[in-house]
Amino acid sequence: TDGKGVHDGNVLGVAYFECPAGRGIFAQPALLAGGRAAAPARAAVAPAAVAALRPEDEEAATLPSRETSSDGSVWLGQQVKWKGQEGIVRYIGDVRFAAGEWIGVEMLEVTGMH
């Protein structure tokens, strides 16, 4: 894609975050440009869709997100740029479709494919 989203926060049947269809992307932290906003208060950034997995609920639909990236450069709720387009960080952590730390971003413009 060229700065456009490709999903709704669900990838290969796993929910990582929620956003409108065609506005979600995943990128590695190095591919995102930091936003203008300061780190938001913790209570304001955790999206409702990012619920912690409970031991008794092994089939929970949404994987838990971290508050910040491992190097501290990206945090939930941060405005970032990916391929020149603005988005909001909605998920930080491991994913089932690739190795390493990934950042889920809700793109702000409705220009997606799905």
Side-chain angles (χ1 to χ4, degrees), residues 26-66:
F26 275 95
Q28 293 187 306
L31 298 177
L32 300 173
R36 298 165 290 197
R42 293 292 182 229
V45 298
V50 180
L53 292 174
R54 298 178 306 265
E56 66 275 9
D57 188 15
E58 292 180 6
E59 294 188 28
T62 304
L63 290 182
S65 176
R66 294 198 275 284

Side-chain angles (χ1 to χ4, degrees), residues 1-6 17 19-20 22-27 31-37 77-90 103-112:
T1 64
D2 54 0
K4 302 171 184 176
V6 296
F17 62 97
C19 71
R23 289 178 57 186
I25 64 104
F26 275 95
L31 298 177
L32 300 173
R36 298 165 290 197
Q78 179 184 11
Q79 186 170 342
V80 295
K81 284 193 175 185
W82 177 73
K83 295 190 176 185
Q85 300 293 318
E86 293 188 357
I88 303 293
V89 174
R90 299 294 186 208
I103 310 297
V105 179
E106 177 182 351
M107 303 308 294
L108 296 178
E109 292 188 30
V110 184
T111 57

